[in-house]
Amino acid sequence: MSSHLVQADPLIREKTSSDRAACKQLQTDYLIIGSGAAGLLAANRLAQHGRVLLVNKGRFQDSSTWNAQGGIAGVMSDTDSIESHVQDTLAAGVGLCHEKVVRTIVHHGCDIIKELIEIGTNFDEKDGALHLTQEGGHSSRRVAHVQDATGRAIGEALLSQVAPQANVTRLEQHTVIDLITSERLTHGEESRCVGAYVLNPDGDVVTVSASQTILATGGVGKVYLYTSNPHAATGDGIAMAWRAGCAMMNLEHIQFHPTCLFHRQGSNMLISEALRGEGAHVVDAHGRRFLFDYDERGELAPRDIVARAIDYEIKKQGVDCMYIDARPLGDDLIGDHFRNIHARLLKLGLDMKQEPVPVVPAAHYICGGVQTDVNGKTNIEGLYVIGEAACTGLHGANRLASNSLLECLVMADHCAADVIKQAAAADYHIPAWDESGIVPETERIQIKQNWDEIRATMSHYVGIVRSDERLRRARRRLRIIQDEISSYYWKHPVSQDLLELRNLALMAELIVRSAQQRKESRGLHYSTDYPERSARVLDTILRPDI
Ligand code: FAD
Ligand code: SIN
């Protein structure tokens, strides 16, 4: 077994394939791909019911979950109400949210936060009660947090529950290549997901067969040059689901976080929205608070409005960045609540207690994804998608801050409850991984070059402000890049960067195609050709067969 197999599990059989020496085979009941908040909670729940194989292409710390700063939204105070959280979510989503889903997810916020506390998440408290912070678009303080490093605390608590489970085998540094969909051998007709091909750290492809497969692979921020996301966010799960035949919803709604650090050595560092919630100002180089020119809520307007305003001012003033001035918070609040951001900035030579910090908007979150219900159910039997990779309709055209961790955990909980009701998979044909036609690689420069080209194309043409012409240009460029990738993908041995590149290219194409379908401006999708909101509220749906 590989040294990256974190826990040797006698319940999982491994055998050398008779027809291919390098090909290994694993069998499990539940294959969970991704170990962020969504994957970890699902693993924890399903371990009570069967064997779980939890696969993760990096380390646990490499997920968006681990990097989450602000907190998790939930109704935890007597002065707040479920209805108010629902209404704030609907308002931020600009008419595109699915209200039933919003109500279900918001309703479970309090229970999920209580469970996190029970398993050891030490949310900040003040005067003996939970300290709830404020973020843009929320009409109440309702964000539970652990200083400004909430994701790490939640991740550690969830992991502490999963780690001792004898039924869970964790594979780190294993990259899932593609899902396996197969014809039913005994009952004919419909295709279903029966597992996945996984690249192990030795470069071998492992065939995993599973009764139920759950994708919890997170987002796709890496499709842009500037992003708050960790390296893992290359949209692998969404791309795999598309190749397997899943429908996609609202992929054009890419959320740009208004305040990411503008700095050569720290370009992807997020400066939490909670800073604005607690009273920090967004200013230009002259110290002017310009956000009120765009929305009466100023710093507390929803993210799409704040990001667009900052982008507009940067372009209008012909400068590189705007600034966030945290000095109104005072040294104590900065040193306490925001101690991690403060410490990281100090290492870069910036003291937020003394000076405004340069910021720009950067790609942060994909509101669209694989079309699912609140249980993560897709249109393919045996395949669920949960967390950021899924689109339930909760976020509509713009996600309300701190609603994502909430969605991940509620979905994981619902998903596990649905999965255990499914009958065990019957006898399926699992095709062996085919390596015929592979030739040794001579150079890798093209992979790097295509990565850079995709990210530059998306940033220049499919950013905060779009137009028909920009989208057409992006589509033309992406077609050329995709042709190049297909010309070498099938000939070269699989490697993580090649797999990620293929997924990134596909995700870029799908985002552009979705953006081209939306002939209006709504939430995160703003087009200069259609500046108005349409009276008809429509989800953008893409299907692989159309
Ligand atoms: P992730 O946590 O991203 O996990 C994805 C997992 O999938 C990783 O383990 C990755 O290795 C694995 N994976 C991906 N592809 C493959 C593959 N091919 N094979 C195997 N494994 C694979 N939301 C909030 O609600 N509150 C916040 O305060 C907040 N702050 C944020 C701050 C930052 C800097 C970022 C980037 C996001 C923040 N978000 C926040 C958003 C939120 O963190 C994410 O949407 C959420 O954590 C996603 O969780 P997930 O479980 O869906 O995916
Ligand atoms: C932040 O802390 O600003 C991120 C919150 C979020 O993305 O929900």
Side-chain angles (χ1 to χ4, degrees), residues 33-39 55-60 62-73 135 150 174-177 216-219 228-230 232 234 236-237 240 268 270 364-365 386-389 399 401-406 408 503:
I33 306 169
S35 46
V55 183
N56 168 14
K57 74 175 170 179
R59 302 166 309 144
F60 286 99
D62 301 328
S63 64
S64 287
T65 295
W66 219 272
N67 288 284
Q69 295 184 346
I72 174 167
E135 289 183 319
T150 311
H174 281 62
T175 306
V176 177
I177 302 169
T217 43
S228 65
N229 289 189
T234 48
D236 297 2
M240 281 184 239
N268 63 353
L270 188 75
H364 181 61
Y365 185 85
I386 56 176
E388 188 170 338
R399 174 175 68 97
S402 289
N403 263 358
S404 172
L405 287 171
L406 173 66
C408 286
N503 292 329

Side-chain angles (χ1 to χ4, degrees), residues 256-259 276 282-284 288-296 298-299 301-317 319 321-323 359-361 464-465 523 526:
F256 286 76
H257 196 290
T259 57
R276 276 181 281 135
V282 173
V283 295
D284 65 12
R288 192 175 80 84
R289 287 176 77 183
F290 56 87
L291 287 177
F292 290 95
D293 299 349
Y294 297 85
D295 191 289
E296 60 186 12
E299 277 83 4
R303 251 177 223 176
D304 55 334
I305 295 169
V306 178
R308 228 170 5 251
I310 294 178
D311 182 66
Y312 190 76
E313 283 294 323
I314 288 174
K315 286 177 179 149
K316 190 174 81 176
Q317 298 188 26
V319 292
C321 62
M322 291 288 130
Y323 298 83
V359 290
V360 286
I464 293 177
V465 177
Y526 183 83

